[in-house]
Amino acid sequence: MSAAGLSQGAKDLSGGRVAHEVASVGARRHPRDVLLGAQSTAASLPVCDHYCGVEARMRKSLALQAEMSQEFGACVFDVTLDCEDGAPVGGEKDHANMVVALANQAQVAIKTVVNSIAVRVAVRVHPVDHPAFGQDVDIIVGGAATSLCHLMIPKIETVEEVEQAVQWVDRAALKAGRTDLLPLHVLIESPAAVHRAFEIAAHPRVQSISFGLMDFVSSHGGAIPASAMGIHADQHSMELDQFTHPLVLRAKLEIASACHAFGKVPAHCVVTEFNDMGAVQAAATRASRALGYTRMWSIHPSQIRPILEAFAPQAQEIELATTIVMAAAQADWAPISYDGKLHDRASYRYFWQVLERAHQTGRHLPDEARAYFFG
Protein backbone atom coordinates (compact mmCIF):
# COMPACT_ATOMS: atom_id res chain seq x y z
CA MET A 1 0.00 0.00 0.00
CA SER A 2 1.29 3.47 -0.80
CA ALA A 3 1.53 6.36 1.64
CA ALA A 4 -1.54 7.81 -0.03
CA GLY A 5 -3.41 4.58 0.64
CA LEU A 6 -2.36 4.67 4.24
CA SER A 7 -3.62 8.23 4.60
CA GLN A 8 -7.13 6.92 3.97
CA GLY A 9 -6.88 4.27 6.66
CA ALA A 10 -4.59 5.60 9.37
CA LYS A 11 -6.28 6.48 12.65
CA ASP A 12 -5.07 8.13 15.83
CA LEU A 13 -5.16 6.46 19.25
CA SER A 14 -8.69 7.65 20.01
CA GLY A 15 -10.02 6.18 16.75
CA GLY A 16 -10.21 9.44 14.78
CA ARG A 17 -8.33 10.11 11.58
CA VAL A 18 -4.73 11.21 11.64
CA ALA A 19 -4.26 14.77 10.47
CA HIS A 20 -2.59 14.57 7.08
CA GLU A 21 -1.45 18.12 6.67
CA VAL A 22 2.33 17.98 6.45
CA ALA A 23 3.91 20.50 8.76
CA SER A 24 6.68 22.28 6.92
CA VAL A 25 9.24 21.48 9.62
CA GLY A 26 8.18 17.81 9.67
CA ALA A 27 8.49 17.53 5.90
CA ARG A 28 12.09 18.70 6.08
CA ARG A 29 13.17 16.44 8.93
CA HIS A 30 15.04 13.38 7.75
CA PRO A 31 14.12 10.05 9.41
CA ARG A 32 17.76 9.43 10.24
CA ASP A 33 17.90 12.65 12.26
CA VAL A 34 14.58 12.04 14.01
CA LEU A 35 14.71 8.34 14.79
CA LEU A 36 18.23 7.09 15.39
CA GLY A 37 19.09 7.15 19.09
CA ALA A 38 22.15 6.07 21.02
CA GLN A 39 21.46 2.36 20.68
CA SER A 40 20.59 2.45 16.98
CA THR A 41 23.36 1.67 14.54
CA ALA A 42 25.08 4.99 13.96
CA ALA A 43 26.93 3.91 10.84
CA SER A 44 25.16 2.96 7.66
CA LEU A 45 27.51 0.43 6.07
CA PRO A 46 27.19 -1.93 3.11
CA VAL A 47 26.07 -5.39 4.25
CA CYS A 48 28.99 -7.13 2.54
CA ASP A 49 32.71 -6.68 3.22
CA HIS A 50 34.80 -8.36 0.53
CA TYR A 51 38.38 -9.36 1.42
CA CYS A 52 41.21 -9.90 -1.04
CA GLY A 53 44.96 -10.16 -0.48
CA VAL A 54 46.54 -10.76 -3.90
CA GLU A 55 47.07 -7.83 -6.27
CA ALA A 56 45.28 -9.41 -9.23
CA ARG A 57 42.23 -10.19 -7.09
CA MET A 58 42.33 -6.74 -5.56
CA ARG A 59 42.13 -5.14 -9.00
CA LYS A 60 39.29 -7.44 -10.05
CA SER A 61 37.39 -6.73 -6.84
CA LEU A 62 37.71 -2.97 -7.24
CA ALA A 63 36.52 -3.25 -10.85
CA LEU A 64 33.58 -5.37 -9.70
CA GLN A 65 32.69 -2.79 -7.04
CA ALA A 66 32.51 -0.09 -9.71
CA GLU A 67 30.40 -2.30 -11.99
CA MET A 68 27.93 -3.24 -9.26
CA SER A 69 27.72 0.35 -8.02
CA GLN A 70 26.61 1.29 -11.50
CA GLU A 71 24.18 -1.63 -11.61
CA PHE A 72 22.53 -0.99 -8.24
CA GLY A 73 22.90 2.77 -7.95
CA ALA A 74 24.71 2.37 -4.62
CA CYS A 75 27.97 0.95 -3.30
CA VAL A 76 26.69 -2.42 -2.12
CA PHE A 77 29.93 -3.89 -0.76
CA ASP A 78 33.23 -2.72 0.69
CA VAL A 79 36.53 -3.92 -0.70
CA THR A 80 39.08 -4.59 2.04
CA LEU A 81 42.65 -4.94 0.80
CA ASP A 82 44.36 -7.44 3.10
CA CYS A 83 47.85 -6.96 4.48
CA GLU A 84 47.63 -9.42 7.37
CA ASP A 85 47.03 -12.53 5.28
CA GLY A 86 47.99 -11.06 1.92
CA ALA A 87 51.53 -9.81 2.51
CA PRO A 88 54.33 -12.37 2.12
CA VAL A 89 56.70 -12.69 5.08
CA GLY A 90 59.49 -10.18 4.51
CA GLY A 91 57.47 -8.37 1.85
CA GLU A 92 55.18 -6.38 4.16
CA LYS A 93 56.54 -2.98 3.10
CA ASP A 94 56.16 -3.60 -0.63
CA HIS A 95 52.67 -5.00 -0.08
CA ALA A 96 51.64 -1.93 1.92
CA ASN A 97 52.89 0.40 -0.81
CA MET A 98 50.98 -1.57 -3.43
CA VAL A 99 47.81 -1.29 -1.35
CA VAL A 100 48.24 2.50 -1.11
CA ALA A 101 48.54 2.80 -4.89
CA LEU A 102 45.42 0.68 -5.48
CA ALA A 103 43.32 2.56 -2.91
CA ASN A 104 44.22 5.93 -4.40
CA GLN A 105 43.69 4.72 -7.96
CA ALA A 106 40.25 3.39 -7.06
CA GLN A 107 39.13 6.80 -5.82
CA VAL A 108 39.99 8.35 -9.17
CA ALA A 109 38.74 5.49 -11.34
CA ILE A 110 35.25 5.17 -9.91
CA LYS A 111 34.57 8.90 -10.25
CA THR A 112 34.77 8.45 -14.01
CA VAL A 113 32.24 5.60 -13.85
CA VAL A 114 29.70 6.50 -11.17
CA ASN A 115 29.94 10.18 -10.35
CA SER A 116 27.59 10.33 -7.37
CA ILE A 117 28.61 7.10 -5.60
CA ALA A 118 31.59 7.10 -3.27
CA VAL A 119 34.03 4.22 -3.53
CA ARG A 120 34.51 2.25 -0.33
CA VAL A 121 37.98 0.80 0.05
CA ALA A 122 39.44 -0.34 3.38
CA VAL A 123 42.64 -2.06 4.46
CA ARG A 124 43.31 -4.77 7.03
CA VAL A 125 46.70 -4.12 8.63
CA HIS A 126 48.73 -6.42 10.85
CA PRO A 127 47.79 -6.77 14.56
CA VAL A 128 49.01 -4.10 16.97
CA ASP A 129 51.58 -6.46 18.49
CA HIS A 130 53.03 -7.44 15.10
CA PRO A 131 56.38 -5.89 14.07
CA ALA A 132 54.81 -4.63 10.83
CA PHE A 133 51.85 -2.82 12.44
CA GLY A 134 53.46 0.60 12.78
CA GLN A 135 54.97 0.35 9.31
CA ASP A 136 51.58 -0.64 7.86
CA VAL A 137 49.84 2.32 9.45
CA ASP A 138 52.54 4.85 8.56
CA ILE A 139 52.59 3.74 4.92
CA ILE A 140 48.90 3.05 4.34
CA VAL A 141 47.24 5.78 6.38
CA GLY A 142 50.09 8.15 5.61
CA GLY A 143 49.74 7.52 1.88
CA ALA A 144 46.00 6.90 1.43
CA ALA A 145 44.27 8.48 4.44
CA THR A 146 41.66 10.28 2.34
CA SER A 147 40.99 7.25 0.15
CA LEU A 148 40.03 4.85 2.95
CA CYS A 149 36.54 4.29 4.38
CA HIS A 150 37.98 2.52 7.43
CA LEU A 151 40.92 0.55 8.75
CA MET A 152 40.53 -3.03 10.02
CA ILE A 153 42.62 -3.96 13.08
CA PRO A 154 42.77 -7.76 13.61
CA LYS A 155 43.30 -9.81 16.78
CA ILE A 156 42.14 -7.11 19.17
CA GLU A 157 42.19 -8.43 22.74
CA THR A 158 41.62 -5.36 24.93
CA VAL A 159 40.41 -1.76 24.90
CA GLU A 160 44.01 -0.75 25.53
CA GLU A 161 44.99 -2.26 22.18
CA VAL A 162 42.18 -0.31 20.51
CA GLU A 163 43.51 2.89 22.08
CA GLN A 164 47.03 2.06 20.96
CA ALA A 165 45.78 1.65 17.40
CA VAL A 166 43.79 4.90 17.62
CA GLN A 167 46.82 6.93 18.64
CA TRP A 168 49.01 5.53 15.87
CA VAL A 169 46.31 5.86 13.20
CA ASP A 170 45.34 9.41 14.19
CA ARG A 171 48.95 10.56 14.18
CA ALA A 172 49.48 9.20 10.64
CA ALA A 173 46.13 10.56 9.39
CA LEU A 174 46.84 14.02 10.75
CA LYS A 175 50.19 14.13 8.99
CA ALA A 176 48.47 13.01 5.77
CA GLY A 177 45.93 15.84 5.97
CA ARG A 178 42.76 13.87 6.71
CA THR A 179 40.37 16.25 8.49
CA ASP A 180 37.83 13.71 9.79
CA LEU A 181 38.57 10.73 12.02
CA LEU A 182 39.27 7.46 10.19
CA PRO A 183 36.80 4.82 11.45
CA LEU A 184 38.27 1.66 12.92
CA HIS A 185 36.86 -1.85 12.53
CA VAL A 186 38.20 -4.53 14.84
CA LEU A 187 38.38 -8.30 14.63
CA ILE A 188 37.68 -10.38 17.77
CA GLU A 189 39.27 -13.82 17.56
CA SER A 190 39.74 -15.31 21.06
CA PRO A 191 37.66 -16.29 24.11
CA ALA A 192 39.24 -13.48 26.16
CA ALA A 193 38.37 -10.91 23.50
CA VAL A 194 34.79 -12.19 23.34
CA HIS A 195 34.62 -11.73 27.13
CA ARG A 196 35.56 -8.06 26.60
CA ALA A 197 33.27 -7.51 23.61
CA PHE A 198 31.07 -4.96 25.38
CA GLU A 199 34.08 -2.94 26.54
CA ILE A 200 35.54 -2.94 23.04
CA ALA A 201 32.22 -2.03 21.43
CA ALA A 202 31.88 0.90 23.82
CA HIS A 203 35.04 2.57 22.50
CA PRO A 204 33.92 5.62 20.48
CA ARG A 205 36.33 4.95 17.60
CA VAL A 206 35.15 1.39 16.97
CA GLN A 207 32.61 1.44 14.14
CA SER A 208 32.23 -2.31 13.61
CA ILE A 209 33.27 -5.60 15.21
CA SER A 210 33.90 -8.75 13.17
CA PHE A 211 34.08 -12.30 14.46
CA GLY A 212 37.22 -14.25 13.56
CA LEU A 213 35.89 -17.80 13.41
CA MET A 214 39.00 -19.73 12.43
CA ASP A 215 41.28 -18.24 15.07
CA PHE A 216 38.52 -18.50 17.68
CA VAL A 217 38.18 -22.24 17.07
CA SER A 218 41.92 -22.88 16.98
CA SER A 219 42.46 -20.84 20.18
CA HIS A 220 40.63 -23.56 22.12
CA GLY A 221 43.49 -26.05 21.75
CA GLY A 222 41.45 -28.73 20.04
CA ALA A 223 38.48 -28.52 22.43
CA ILE A 224 36.30 -27.31 19.55
CA PRO A 225 36.31 -29.70 16.54
CA ALA A 226 37.24 -28.61 13.03
CA SER A 227 33.63 -29.11 11.95
CA ALA A 228 32.79 -25.91 13.86
CA MET A 229 34.68 -23.93 11.22
CA GLY A 230 32.27 -25.08 8.51
CA ILE A 231 28.56 -25.25 7.84
CA HIS A 232 28.19 -28.83 6.63
CA ALA A 233 28.38 -30.89 9.81
CA ASP A 234 26.87 -34.36 9.51
CA GLN A 235 23.40 -34.18 11.03
CA HIS A 236 23.57 -37.87 11.97
CA SER A 237 26.76 -37.59 14.01
CA MET A 238 27.86 -35.67 17.08
CA GLU A 239 29.77 -33.16 14.98
CA LEU A 240 28.63 -29.56 15.28
CA ASP A 241 29.16 -26.70 12.84
CA GLN A 242 29.60 -22.94 13.31
CA PHE A 243 25.86 -22.41 13.80
CA THR A 244 25.32 -25.26 16.26
CA HIS A 245 28.44 -25.55 18.39
CA PRO A 246 27.52 -23.89 21.72
CA LEU A 247 30.82 -22.06 22.26
CA VAL A 248 30.92 -20.65 18.72
CA LEU A 249 27.26 -19.70 18.78
CA ARG A 250 27.68 -18.00 22.16
CA ALA A 251 30.62 -15.96 20.82
CA LYS A 252 28.60 -14.83 17.82
CA LEU A 253 25.69 -13.75 20.01
CA GLU A 254 27.94 -11.91 22.46
CA ILE A 255 29.52 -9.89 19.67
CA ALA A 256 26.20 -9.06 18.03
CA SER A 257 24.68 -8.04 21.36
CA ALA A 258 27.67 -5.87 22.29
CA CYS A 259 27.53 -4.08 18.94
CA HIS A 260 23.82 -3.34 19.18
CA ALA A 261 24.22 -2.10 22.75
CA PHE A 262 26.54 0.66 21.56
CA GLY A 263 25.26 1.38 18.05
CA LYS A 264 28.07 -0.47 16.26
CA VAL A 265 27.88 -2.79 13.25
CA PRO A 266 28.29 -6.55 13.89
CA ALA A 267 29.98 -8.32 10.95
CA HIS A 268 29.58 -12.08 10.58
CA CYS A 269 32.49 -14.35 9.80
CA VAL A 270 33.48 -16.00 6.56
CA VAL A 271 31.99 -19.07 4.92
CA THR A 272 34.82 -21.12 3.46
CA GLU A 273 32.53 -23.25 1.28
CA PHE A 274 32.61 -20.57 -1.42
CA ASN A 275 31.65 -22.94 -4.26
CA ASP A 276 28.30 -23.75 -2.64
CA MET A 277 26.20 -20.64 -3.19
CA GLY A 278 23.15 -22.18 -1.53
CA ALA A 279 25.16 -22.79 1.61
CA VAL A 280 26.57 -19.26 1.54
CA GLN A 281 23.13 -17.72 1.24
CA ALA A 282 21.69 -19.99 3.93
CA ALA A 283 24.48 -19.02 6.31
CA ALA A 284 24.04 -15.34 5.53
CA THR A 285 20.29 -15.61 6.04
CA ARG A 286 20.74 -17.24 9.42
CA ALA A 287 23.33 -14.66 10.48
CA SER A 288 20.97 -11.86 9.48
CA ARG A 289 17.60 -13.21 10.57
CA ALA A 290 18.51 -15.23 13.67
CA LEU A 291 21.78 -13.86 15.10
CA GLY A 292 21.38 -10.11 14.63
CA TYR A 293 24.25 -9.50 12.20
CA THR A 294 23.92 -6.62 9.73
CA ARG A 295 27.08 -7.27 7.73
CA MET A 296 29.10 -10.28 6.56
CA TRP A 297 32.50 -11.05 5.12
CA SER A 298 33.02 -12.34 1.59
CA ILE A 299 36.24 -14.08 0.55
CA HIS A 300 35.28 -14.81 -3.07
CA PRO A 301 33.44 -12.61 -5.60
CA SER A 302 30.82 -15.34 -6.10
CA GLN A 303 29.74 -14.88 -2.45
CA ILE A 304 28.81 -11.21 -2.80
CA ARG A 305 25.41 -11.55 -4.49
CA PRO A 306 24.17 -14.37 -2.20
CA ILE A 307 25.10 -12.23 0.81
CA LEU A 308 23.30 -9.21 -0.63
CA GLU A 309 20.24 -11.34 -1.31
CA ALA A 310 20.22 -12.81 2.19
CA PHE A 311 20.57 -9.46 3.97
CA ALA A 312 18.11 -7.63 1.72
CA PRO A 313 14.54 -7.08 2.93
CA GLN A 314 11.77 -8.66 0.88
CA ALA A 315 9.66 -6.55 -1.48
CA GLN A 316 6.64 -6.67 0.83
CA GLU A 317 8.81 -5.55 3.76
CA ILE A 318 10.03 -2.57 1.73
CA GLU A 319 6.49 -1.66 0.74
CA LEU A 320 5.21 -1.79 4.31
CA ALA A 321 8.22 0.14 5.61
CA THR A 322 7.66 2.87 3.02
CA THR A 323 4.00 3.10 3.95
CA ILE A 324 4.68 3.41 7.68
CA VAL A 325 7.59 5.86 7.36
CA MET A 326 5.72 8.17 5.00
CA ALA A 327 2.65 8.17 7.25
CA ALA A 328 4.86 8.88 10.25
CA ALA A 329 6.42 11.84 8.46
CA GLN A 330 2.94 13.14 7.61
CA ALA A 331 2.03 12.92 11.31
CA ASP A 332 5.30 14.71 12.19
CA TRP A 333 6.44 11.48 13.86
CA ALA A 334 3.57 11.37 16.34
CA PRO A 335 1.98 7.94 17.09
CA ILE A 336 -0.42 6.51 14.51
CA SER A 337 -2.52 3.39 14.11
CA TYR A 338 -2.29 1.29 10.96
CA ASP A 339 -4.06 -1.96 10.22
CA GLY A 340 -5.16 -2.19 13.85
CA LYS A 341 -1.63 -1.79 15.25
CA LEU A 342 -0.02 1.07 17.14
CA HIS A 343 3.11 2.60 15.64
CA ASP A 344 5.35 5.17 17.27
CA ARG A 345 9.00 6.15 17.11
CA ALA A 346 10.16 2.70 18.19
CA SER A 347 8.50 0.99 15.23
CA TYR A 348 9.26 3.94 12.94
CA ARG A 349 12.94 3.35 13.70
CA TYR A 350 12.63 -0.30 12.74
CA PHE A 351 10.89 0.45 9.45
CA TRP A 352 13.37 3.20 8.61
CA GLN A 353 16.19 0.71 9.13
CA VAL A 354 14.43 -1.66 6.72
CA LEU A 355 14.60 1.09 4.09
CA GLU A 356 18.25 1.74 4.87
CA ARG A 357 19.04 -1.95 4.45
CA ALA A 358 17.11 -1.99 1.18
CA HIS A 359 19.24 0.89 -0.07
CA GLN A 360 22.45 -0.79 1.14
CA THR A 361 21.58 -3.95 -0.78
CA GLY A 362 20.55 -2.20 -3.99
CA ARG A 363 16.86 -3.09 -3.77
CA HIS A 364 14.25 -1.11 -5.67
CA LEU A 365 12.70 1.61 -3.52
CA PRO A 366 9.39 3.39 -4.15
CA ASP A 367 9.92 6.96 -5.32
CA GLU A 368 8.83 8.50 -2.03
CA ALA A 369 11.35 6.42 -0.08
CA ARG A 370 14.05 6.82 -2.70
CA ALA A 371 13.91 10.59 -2.22
CA TYR A 372 15.37 10.17 1.27
CA PHE A 373 18.53 8.66 -0.22
CA PHE A 374 18.84 10.47 -3.53
CA GLY A 375 16.83 13.63 -3.01
Side-chain angles (χ1 to χ4, degrees), residues 210-265:
S210 295
F211 176 50
L213 172 66
M214 308 301 183
D215 281 276
F216 180 82
V217 170
S218 63
S219 69
H220 283 75
I224 299 178
S227 62
M229 291 188 281
I231 53 175
H232 284 306
D234 185 351
Q235 295 180 356
H236 302 290
S237 74
M238 291 299 292
E239 288 189 341
L240 300 170
D241 67 12
Q242 65 167 281
F243 286 103
T244 55
H245 194 286
L247 288 175
V248 176
L249 187 58
R250 172 183 171 273
K252 290 184 181 185
L253 292 173
E254 282 289 300
I255 291 170
S257 181
C259 284
H260 289 298
F262 295 99
K264 308 304 171 69
V265 177

Side-chain angles (χ1 to χ4, degrees), residues 67-97:
E67 292 170 10
M68 291 182 67
S69 293
Q70 198 169 27
E71 175 185 349
F72 288 107
C75 184
V76 292
F77 69 93
D78 288 352
V79 173
T80 297
L81 310 179
D82 194 0
C83 289
E84 184 191 21
D85 289 343
V89 176
E92 291 88 356
K93 184 175 182 179
D94 289 341
H95 194 84
N97 281 310

Side-chain angles (χ1 to χ4, degrees), residues 8 17 44 61 70 89 136 152 167 176 185 226 243 261 265 268 295 313 324:
Q8 299 300 314
R17 290 190 179 279
S44 180
S61 298
Q70 198 169 27
V89 176
D136 277 355
M152 165 58 78
Q167 292 178 12
H185 293 196
F243 286 103
V265 177
H268 193 263
R295 182 168 160 97
I324 298 297

Side-chain angles (χ1 to χ4, degrees), residues 283-295:
T285 299
R286 188 163 184 180
S288 171
R289 299 282 176 166
L291 304 185
Y293 282 81
T294 57
R295 182 168 160 97

Side-chain angles (χ1 to χ4, degrees), residues 36 40-46 183 185 207-208 263-265 294 356 360:
L36 297 188
S40 298
T41 300
S44 180
L45 302 179
H185 293 196
Q207 186 182 61
S208 174
K264 308 304 171 69
V265 177
T294 57
E356 284 199 314
Q360 292 160 3

